[in-house]
Protein backbone atom coordinates (compact mmCIF):
# COMPACT_ATOMS: atom_id res chain seq x y z
CA UNK A 1 0.00 0.00 0.00
CA UNK A 2 1.22 3.49 -0.84
CA UNK A 3 1.15 5.69 2.21
CA UNK A 4 2.78 8.75 0.76
CA UNK A 5 0.47 11.03 -1.19
CA UNK A 6 1.75 14.08 -3.03
CA UNK A 7 -0.83 16.76 -3.80
CA UNK A 8 0.15 19.44 -6.27
CA UNK A 9 -1.65 21.86 -8.52
CA UNK A 10 -1.59 25.52 -9.48
CA UNK A 11 -1.70 28.36 -7.01
CA UNK A 12 -5.14 29.21 -5.57
CA UNK A 13 -6.70 26.00 -6.84
CA UNK A 14 -7.71 25.22 -3.26
CA UNK A 15 -5.17 22.50 -2.37
CA UNK A 16 -4.89 23.72 1.22
CA UNK A 17 -8.66 23.70 1.73
CA UNK A 18 -8.95 20.22 0.22
CA UNK A 19 -6.15 18.91 2.47
CA UNK A 20 -7.82 20.42 5.57
CA UNK A 21 -11.11 18.79 4.56
CA UNK A 22 -9.33 15.42 4.33
CA UNK A 23 -7.63 15.84 7.72
CA UNK A 24 -10.98 16.71 9.34
CA UNK A 25 -12.41 13.53 7.88
CA UNK A 26 -9.55 11.27 8.97
CA UNK A 27 -7.42 12.57 11.84
CA UNK A 28 -5.08 9.57 11.44
CA UNK A 29 -3.73 11.08 8.23
CA UNK A 30 -0.74 13.34 8.70
CA UNK A 31 0.38 16.29 6.67
CA UNK A 32 3.96 17.38 6.13
CA UNK A 33 4.83 20.90 7.30
CA UNK A 34 7.21 22.50 4.82
CA UNK A 35 10.11 24.80 5.50
CA UNK A 36 10.06 28.07 3.57
CA UNK A 37 12.14 31.20 3.24
CA UNK A 38 9.09 33.36 2.51
CA UNK A 39 7.64 35.62 5.19
CA UNK A 40 4.50 34.58 7.08
CA UNK A 41 1.18 35.99 5.89
CA UNK A 42 -1.08 37.48 8.56
CA UNK A 43 -2.47 34.65 10.67
CA UNK A 44 0.16 32.09 9.66
CA UNK A 45 1.82 30.35 12.59
CA UNK A 46 5.42 29.09 12.59
CA UNK A 47 5.48 25.31 12.95
CA UNK A 48 1.81 25.02 12.03
CA UNK A 49 1.46 26.38 8.50
CA UNK A 50 5.17 26.35 7.68
CA UNK A 51 8.53 26.42 9.39
CA UNK A 52 9.58 29.95 8.48
CA UNK A 53 13.36 29.92 8.13
CA UNK A 54 16.13 32.24 6.93
CA UNK A 55 18.15 31.59 3.77
CA UNK A 56 21.08 30.45 5.95
CA UNK A 57 18.88 28.04 7.86
CA UNK A 58 17.52 26.65 4.60
CA UNK A 59 21.09 26.19 3.26
CA UNK A 60 21.93 24.37 6.46
CA UNK A 61 18.98 21.99 6.08
CA UNK A 62 20.13 21.18 2.52
CA UNK A 63 23.75 20.66 3.64
CA UNK A 64 22.61 18.25 6.36
CA UNK A 65 20.38 16.37 3.89
CA UNK A 66 17.37 17.16 6.07
CA UNK A 67 15.06 17.86 3.12
CA UNK A 68 13.37 15.17 1.06
CA UNK A 69 12.91 17.66 -1.80
CA UNK A 70 13.08 21.41 -2.29
CA UNK A 71 12.49 23.98 -4.97
CA UNK A 72 12.32 27.68 -5.73
CA UNK A 73 8.63 28.46 -6.20
CA UNK A 74 7.10 31.45 -8.00
CA UNK A 75 10.63 32.58 -9.02
CA UNK A 76 11.10 33.75 -5.50
CA UNK A 77 11.41 31.80 -2.27
CA UNK A 78 12.55 28.30 -1.45
CA UNK A 79 10.23 25.64 -0.07
CA UNK A 80 11.20 22.15 1.09
CA UNK A 81 9.86 19.04 2.81
CA UNK A 82 11.60 18.07 6.07
CA UNK A 83 12.67 14.45 5.72
CA UNK A 84 12.28 13.14 9.26
CA UNK A 85 8.53 13.60 9.88
CA UNK A 86 7.79 11.87 6.57
CA UNK A 87 10.09 8.95 7.30
CA UNK A 88 8.71 8.65 10.85
CA UNK A 89 5.11 8.59 9.59
CA UNK A 90 5.89 5.92 6.99
CA UNK A 91 7.83 3.84 9.56
CA UNK A 92 4.76 4.00 11.82
CA UNK A 93 2.48 2.90 9.00
CA UNK A 94 0.69 6.26 8.85
CA UNK A 95 -0.54 7.96 5.72
CA UNK A 96 1.09 11.30 5.05
CA UNK A 97 0.26 14.04 2.55
CA UNK A 98 2.78 16.40 0.98
CA UNK A 99 1.25 19.54 -0.48
CA UNK A 100 4.07 20.76 -2.71
CA UNK A 101 4.74 22.19 -6.16
CA UNK A 102 5.27 20.28 -9.40
CA UNK A 103 9.09 20.45 -9.22
CA UNK A 104 8.98 18.90 -5.75
CA UNK A 105 6.48 16.26 -6.89
CA UNK A 106 8.90 15.18 -9.64
CA UNK A 107 11.73 14.84 -7.11
CA UNK A 108 9.55 12.70 -4.82
CA UNK A 109 8.47 10.45 -7.71
CA UNK A 110 12.15 9.94 -8.48
CA UNK A 111 13.29 9.22 -4.90
CA UNK A 112 10.13 7.41 -3.76
CA UNK A 113 8.57 5.81 -6.85
CA UNK A 114 5.65 4.26 -4.97
CA UNK A 115 4.35 7.69 -3.93
CA UNK A 116 0.87 8.47 -5.19
CA UNK A 117 0.88 11.76 -7.13
CA UNK A 118 -2.44 13.58 -7.33
CA UNK A 119 -2.90 16.76 -9.34
CA UNK A 120 -5.68 19.15 -8.35
CA UNK A 121 -6.89 21.17 -11.33
CA UNK A 122 -9.24 24.19 -11.48
CA UNK A 123 -12.53 23.95 -13.40
CA UNK A 124 -11.15 26.51 -15.87
CA UNK A 125 -8.40 29.08 -16.35
CA UNK A 126 -10.85 31.95 -15.75
CA UNK A 127 -11.96 30.41 -12.48
CA UNK A 128 -8.34 30.05 -11.34
CA UNK A 129 -7.63 33.73 -12.05
CA UNK A 130 -10.83 34.71 -10.23
CA UNK A 131 -9.86 32.64 -7.15
CA UNK A 132 -6.32 34.03 -7.10
CA UNK A 133 -7.39 37.66 -7.43
CA UNK A 134 -10.24 37.12 -4.98
CA UNK A 135 -7.86 35.84 -2.34
CA UNK A 136 -6.28 39.28 -2.19
CA UNK A 137 -3.10 38.07 -0.47
CA UNK A 138 -0.67 38.96 -3.25
CA UNK A 139 0.32 42.18 -5.02
CA UNK A 140 -0.62 42.46 -8.71
CA UNK A 141 3.01 41.63 -9.69
CA UNK A 142 2.87 38.52 -7.56
CA UNK A 143 -0.50 37.57 -9.06
CA UNK A 144 1.03 37.72 -12.56
CA UNK A 145 4.04 35.63 -11.51
CA UNK A 146 1.74 33.09 -9.87
CA UNK A 147 -0.38 32.88 -13.02
CA UNK A 148 2.78 32.22 -15.06
CA UNK A 149 3.74 29.40 -12.69
CA UNK A 150 0.17 28.10 -12.85
CA UNK A 151 0.33 27.81 -16.65
CA UNK A 152 3.49 25.70 -16.43
CA UNK A 153 2.00 23.60 -13.64
CA UNK A 154 -1.19 22.86 -15.60
CA UNK A 155 0.95 21.58 -18.43
CA UNK A 156 2.57 19.09 -16.02
CA UNK A 157 -0.73 17.49 -14.99
CA UNK A 158 -0.21 14.50 -17.27
CA UNK A 159 2.92 13.49 -15.31
CA UNK A 160 0.73 12.71 -12.30
CA UNK A 161 -0.91 9.40 -11.40
CA UNK A 162 -4.32 11.06 -11.00
CA UNK A 163 -6.02 14.34 -11.78
CA UNK A 164 -8.98 15.65 -9.77
CA UNK A 165 -10.86 18.83 -10.68
CA UNK A 166 -11.75 21.03 -7.73
CA UNK A 167 -15.31 22.15 -8.53
CA UNK A 168 -16.23 22.04 -4.87
CA UNK A 169 -14.17 21.18 -1.80
CA UNK A 170 -16.12 18.22 -0.34
CA UNK A 171 -16.46 16.49 -3.69
CA UNK A 172 -12.79 17.01 -4.54
CA UNK A 173 -11.68 16.00 -1.01
CA UNK A 174 -13.72 12.80 -1.17
CA UNK A 175 -12.23 11.88 -4.54
CA UNK A 176 -8.70 12.40 -3.21
CA UNK A 177 -9.52 10.38 -0.08
CA UNK A 178 -10.90 7.56 -2.24
CA UNK A 179 -7.71 7.58 -4.32
CA UNK A 180 -5.60 7.45 -1.15
CA UNK A 181 -7.57 4.51 0.20
CA UNK A 182 -7.53 2.66 -3.11
CA UNK A 183 -3.80 2.90 -3.67
P1 LIG B 1 2.38 29.67 -0.68
O1 LIG B 1 3.51 30.66 -0.70
O2 LIG B 1 1.16 30.16 -1.39
O3 LIG B 1 2.09 29.14 0.71
O4 LIG B 1 2.88 28.40 -1.49
C1 LIG B 1 3.39 28.51 -2.75
C2 LIG B 1 3.59 27.17 -3.37
O5 LIG B 1 4.66 26.46 -2.74
C3 LIG B 1 2.39 26.24 -3.33
O6 LIG B 1 2.01 25.93 -4.65
C4 LIG B 1 2.89 25.00 -2.63
O7 LIG B 1 2.42 23.83 -3.23
C5 LIG B 1 4.39 25.09 -2.77
N1 LIG B 1 5.05 24.43 -1.66
C6 LIG B 1 4.72 24.50 -0.36
N2 LIG B 1 5.53 23.73 0.38
C7 LIG B 1 6.41 23.16 -0.48
C8 LIG B 1 7.49 22.24 -0.32
O8 LIG B 1 7.83 21.79 0.77
N3 LIG B 1 8.16 21.89 -1.44
C9 LIG B 1 7.84 22.34 -2.68
N4 LIG B 1 8.54 21.91 -3.70
N5 LIG B 1 6.81 23.20 -2.87
C10 LIG B 1 6.10 23.60 -1.78
Amino acid sequence: MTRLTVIAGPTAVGKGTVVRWILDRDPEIRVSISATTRFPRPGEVDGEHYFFVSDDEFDDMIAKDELLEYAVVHQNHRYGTPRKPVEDALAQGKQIILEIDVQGARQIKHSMPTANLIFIAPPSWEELRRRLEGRGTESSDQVEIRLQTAKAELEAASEFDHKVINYEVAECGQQVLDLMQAS
Side-chain angles (χ1 to χ4, degrees):
M1 172 174 158
T2 308
R3 296 201 180 83
L4 179 60
T5 301
V6 174
I7 295 187
T11 181
V13 76
K15 285 167 291 180
T17 316
V18 168
V19 169
R20 277 197 300 280
W21 186 92
I22 292 170
L23 299 180
D24 282 348
R25 272 307 174 88
D26 188 343
E28 283 292 300
I29 298 177
R30 297 188 189 170
V31 66
S32 158
I33 301 170
S34 299
T36 181
T37 59
R38 86 150 159 76
F39 295 111
R41 296 188 185 121
E44 284 184 333
V45 177
D46 186 41
E48 189 180 315
H49 297 92
Y50 282 105
F51 295 107
F52 296 100
V53 300
S54 66
D55 264 315
D56 285 350
E57 286 168 325
F58 203 93
D59 285 340
D60 202 43
M61 293 174 95
I62 296 171
K64 291 184 177 148
D65 198 25
E66 288 175 359
L67 298 176
L68 214 46
E69 61 74 36
Y70 62 92
V72 175
V73 182
H74 303 313
Q75 308 166 24
N76 199 358
H77 291 294
R78 289 184 291 174
Y79 295 77
T81 304
R83 178 186 297 281
K84 192 163 185 310
V86 175
E87 289 182 348
D88 287 351
L90 297 178
Q92 291 164 24
K94 302 279 185 193
Q95 297 239 31
I96 184 158
I97 297 176
L98 272 53
E99 190 218 312
I100 60 179
D101 87 323
V102 165
Q103 306 168 77
R106 287 188 185 121
Q107 293 173 46
I108 296 291
K109 193 68 190 173
H110 187 254
S111 58
M112 298 171 130
T114 59
N116 195 14
L117 267 57
I118 301 177
F119 190 89
I120 312 270
S124 67
W125 179 254
E126 291 67 35
E127 175 62 17
L128 187 70
R129 179 182 273 276
R130 202 184 61 76
R131 287 183 194 178
L132 180 58
E133 288 172 347
R135 196 161 75 172
T137 47
E138 278 83 24
S139 65
S140 58
D141 284 1
Q142 274 296 317
V143 167
E144 282 315 312
I145 288 175
R146 280 170 182 253
L147 285 170
Q148 274 179 35
T149 312
K151 257 206 178 92
E153 296 223 314
L154 285 170
E155 283 163 11
S158 61
E159 296 172 33
F160 282 66
D161 298 312
H162 306 281
K163 177 172 153 181
V164 178
I165 299 178
N166 186 13
Y167 293 104
E168 190 271 318
V169 60
E171 185 207 18
C172 179
Q174 188 61 54
Q175 283 183 43
V176 173
L177 203 49
D178 290 346
L179 288 168
M180 288 175 70
Q181 282 159 357
S183 68

